[in-house]
């Protein structure tokens, strides 16, 4: 029973896809061999992979829309700044808000992009856009960067999933129209390890194996009768889960293995511990870890809320950067801090100084993985309203990430209905950041 | 056909000239006006000089190369020439980028040949001496300075974006692709094997999954591929000092990850007896190495980056390593930020008034 629950958690989206996929398959709706095409192209060496500056990504996602004026695009003296104070950092000319004193000591590693621009002003649409570079549509689901990465470059450690989402479920990061085996693994609570991944005590290894064989026998008849890719995907997920259960690498999900000093350094909140888990996973060959921090939708009491929201990010992110650097991992690990949009420069007074959604201009961070730190890129005007220099659209941001990972930006992959899609849509990488 | 012939001849003649000339002048310092200046005039002055063929335009990137004062001032990106330090001289860095790189100089026309780059490198290394040449009158203000007091702090280090894979391309030049059989054996032993750069015969070998199963004995399978290994990670494996005998036989090893293994000073000393000539990056964090290893490590003259966090190397040892290998960046100090206040709660508390 515990295994079933574990598997459910492991791949809830896959189950949904599986059911809808199986239905389509049974009704004879889908027979497009897009994966085969890709596999062939990969085998023939036709995917023009480029030299990568990064091979892993730790993607910190501030769900809700992080205010750019109150974090990394400070406008000291402007009316739109409100009571937020700017502090200097160890990088010349880079300012951060008063809530990031620890990160200020690591800004030499970070490139601040102040000229982000999105076209989506609602949460679901904005998140989807940020994660996939495409707009949310009813007819298709696009894959997010972790799925593109795994699909094009494979896994580093074949026993561990390539793509993990910590603290946010799998609603945003998704395999999209790719193979269900590319679905990210959601980890709800970073401190509890990988849930339900141990055999229950009274089931011995032999008995467990026996049960699995039984399951295989039962499934085989069905599988032979209805040959469908989704069915193979599903049994692949089972096999992977079982390989992981037997592997020593399962330990990488267990942050209790870290010393208390290290755990304290990251901060005891979910975000900090999530960053620590992300580092452990990347160290053992997980390619893409998303760490989600929620609650940034500060329509009311923006300034009070920032005082609560920022410190865990300050602590977690600065510890992460320092830790990766000391271990020699920062040069190959791209650390991202992203969000769906910024917040209005105008302060809403009748909502106890709140800020509303603002996709026209916002800020994101990139560090490590070949990115040259200690500087800002792009500019907004004196009040943080409009991008006035070096605009970076959402798809350009993702193209920059893909460029760092050596993914071919022009390479088309086809959805089940035969439509072509590329890793960052029409994004152009910002090469000046490298 | 004829053009191809002529080109071929040209290349041959050029090659001949290159192979002869350095020997003839080996002891003499580079003469800037005679040897370097013509190259700059031909390839750089079009954009990096005050005027060209009577046409006035701004020098690109704020860099002028038509006067010794201008050259020493550098451009917007930083200093073009730092005496005796070609590795931080942007002029040298930008012309030595691979042909395909976006920032390679010159952007149009022929890139600099290897021998020409070497010549310029030698000129910088010899002290960037202009001889009697002065060229155009130098700039009035010597160094462009930022003056915003609100944001000005310490000046940032200018790190030229140098292609980190250039060395692998160079080492792979005469290398044939590894045999499929040997690759298969390596993979069967649990190694992840990829090319260091897509298409390169040089390999990156890592024991990522179930690293705890990897011992000294496992490393024997590296021997048939010894010339092909450019990067090797033994992170968290069970190897011991005996592994050094095999590691010492890998001629093209550039990056070696030994973090969190049982390697000690004995292993590093053994490795230093036949130091891999091209070793640039050595990760020893979380091992038991001490200051004794520092002495041995100074024999790895090509090192650019060493990780010594969580080792027994003392700060004096780190200091010694830094002074013995000035080009090498040593990461050693415990730099995790320490908590300044009781750690925040898992659940965010919201202030309401």
């Amino acid at each position: 029973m515990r295994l079933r629950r574990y598997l459910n958690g492991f791949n809830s989206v896959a189950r949904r896809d599986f059911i809808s996929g199986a239905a389509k398959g049974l009704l004879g709706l889908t027979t497009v061999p897009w994966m085969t095409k890709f596999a062939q192209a990969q085998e023939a060496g036709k995917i023009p992979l480029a030299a990568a500056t990064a091979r892993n990504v730790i993607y910190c996602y501030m769900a809700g829309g992080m205010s750019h004026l109150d974090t990394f695009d400070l406008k000291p003296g402007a009316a739109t700044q409100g009571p937020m104070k700017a502090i200097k950092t160890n990088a010349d000319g880079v300012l951060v808000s008063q809530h990031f004193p620890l990160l200020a000591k690591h800004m030499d590693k970070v490139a601040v992009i102040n000229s982000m621009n999105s076209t989506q002003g609602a949460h679901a649409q904005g998140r989807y856009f940020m994660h996939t570079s495409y707009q949310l549509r009813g007819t298709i689901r696009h894959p997010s960067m972790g799925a593109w990465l795994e699909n094009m470059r494979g896994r580093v450690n074949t026993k561990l999933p390539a793509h993990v989402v910590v603290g946010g479920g799998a609603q945003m990061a998704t395999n999209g129209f790719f193979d269900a085996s590319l679905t990210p693994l959601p980890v709800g609570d970073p401190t509890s390890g990988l849930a339900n991944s141990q055999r229950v005590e009274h089931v011995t290894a032999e008995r467990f194996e026996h049960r699995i064989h039984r399951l295989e026998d039962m499934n085989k008849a069905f599988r032979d009768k209805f040959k469908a890719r989704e069915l193979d995907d599903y049994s692949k997920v089972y096999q992977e889960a079982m390989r992981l259960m037997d592997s020593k690498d399962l330990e990488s999900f267990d942050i209790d293995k870290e010393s208390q000093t290290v755990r304290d350094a990251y901060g005891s909140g979910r975000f900090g511990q999530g960053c620590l888990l992300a580092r452990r996973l990347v160290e053992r060959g997980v390619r893409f870890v998303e760490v989600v921090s929620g609650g940034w939708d500060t329509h009311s009491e923006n300034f009070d809320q920032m005082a609560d929201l920022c410190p865990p990010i300050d602590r977690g992110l600065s510890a992460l950067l320092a830790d990766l650097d000391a271990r020699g991992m920062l040069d190959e690990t791209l650390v991202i801090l992203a969000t769906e949009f910024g917040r209005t420069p105008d302060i809403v007074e009748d909502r106890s100084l709140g800020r509303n959604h603002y996709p026209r201009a916002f800020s994101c961070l990139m560090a490590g993985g070949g990115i040259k730190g200690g500087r800002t890129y792009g500019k907004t005007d004196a009040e943080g309203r409009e991008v006035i220099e070096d605009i970076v659209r959402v798809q350009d941001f993702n193209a920059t990430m893909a460029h760092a990972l050596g993914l071919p930006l022009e390479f088309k992959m086809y959805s089940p209905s035969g439509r072509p899609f590329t890793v960052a849509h029409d994004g152009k990488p910002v090469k000046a950041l490298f | 056909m004829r053009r191809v012939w002529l080109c071929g001849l040209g290349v041959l003649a050029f090659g001949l000239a290159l192979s002869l000339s350095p020997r003839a002048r080996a002891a003499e310092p580079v003469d800037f006006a005679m040897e370097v200046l013509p190259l700059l005039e031909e390839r750089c002055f079009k954009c990096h000089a005050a005027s060209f063929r009577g046409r006035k335009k701004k020098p690109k990137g704020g860099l002028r190369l038509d006067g010794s004062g201008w050259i020493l001032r550098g451009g917007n990106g930083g200093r073009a020439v730092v005496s005796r330090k070609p590795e931080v001289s942007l002029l040298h860095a930008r012309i030595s980028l691979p042909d395909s790189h976006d920032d390679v100089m010159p952007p149009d026309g022929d890139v600099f040949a290897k021998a020409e780059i070497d010549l310029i490198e030698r000129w910088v290394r010899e002290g960037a001496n202009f001889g009697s040449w002065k060229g155009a009158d130098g700039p009035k203000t010597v160094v462009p300075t930022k003056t915003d007091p609100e944001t000005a702090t310490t000046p940032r280090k200018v790190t030229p974006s140098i292609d980190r894979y250039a060395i692998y391309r160079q080492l792979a030049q005469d290398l044939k692709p590894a045999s499929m059989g040997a690759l298969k054996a390596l993979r069967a032993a649990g190694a992840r094997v990829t090319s260091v750069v897509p298409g390169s015969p040089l390999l990156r070998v890592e024991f990522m999954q179930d690293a705890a199963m990897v011992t000294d004995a496992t490393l024997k399978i590296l021997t048939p591929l010894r010339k092909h290994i450019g990067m090797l990670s033994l992170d968290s494996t069970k190897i011991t000092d005996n592994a050094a005998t095999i590691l010492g036989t890998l001629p093209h090893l550039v990056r070696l990850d030994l973090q969190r293994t049982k390697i000690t000073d004995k292993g590093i000393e053994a490795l230093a007896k036949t130091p891999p000539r091209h070793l640039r990056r050595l990760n020893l964090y979380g091992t038991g190495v001490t200051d004794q290893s520092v002495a041995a490590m100074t024999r790895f003259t090509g090192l650019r980056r060493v990780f010594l966090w969580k080792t027994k190397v003392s700060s004096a040892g780190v200091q010694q390593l830094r002074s013995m290998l000035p080009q090498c960046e040593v990461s050693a100090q415990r730099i995790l930020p320490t908590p300044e206040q009781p750690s925040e709660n898992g659940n965010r508390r919201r202030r309401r008034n």
Side-chain angles (χ1 to χ4, degrees), chain A residues 47 73 80 130 132 135 151 160-161 181 183 185 202 231 239 244 250 275 301 313 333 362 385 400 419-420 431:
Chain A
I47 295 177
D73 192 7
T80 51
M130 201 66 200
T132 65
Q135 290 182 14
N151 207 351
L160 289 174
S181 61
T183 310
L185 166 67
H202 66 271
L231 290 174
Q239 282 156 17
L244 180 58
L250 188 59
C275 284
E301 300 169 339
I313 309 299
T333 307
F362 60 108
R385 293 177 191 277
T400 308
R419 289 166 60 206
K431 293 191 179 167

Side-chain angles (χ1 to χ4, degrees), chain A residues 55 155 308 327 431, chain B residues 102 192 206 210 285 349:
Chain A
R55 86 164 176 187
R155 295 183 175 189
D308 290 345
R327 284 164 202 263
K431 293 191 179 167
Chain B
D102 285 344
R192 173 186 154 89
E206 302 157 277
D210 290 336
Y285 108 73
R349 76 208 136 78

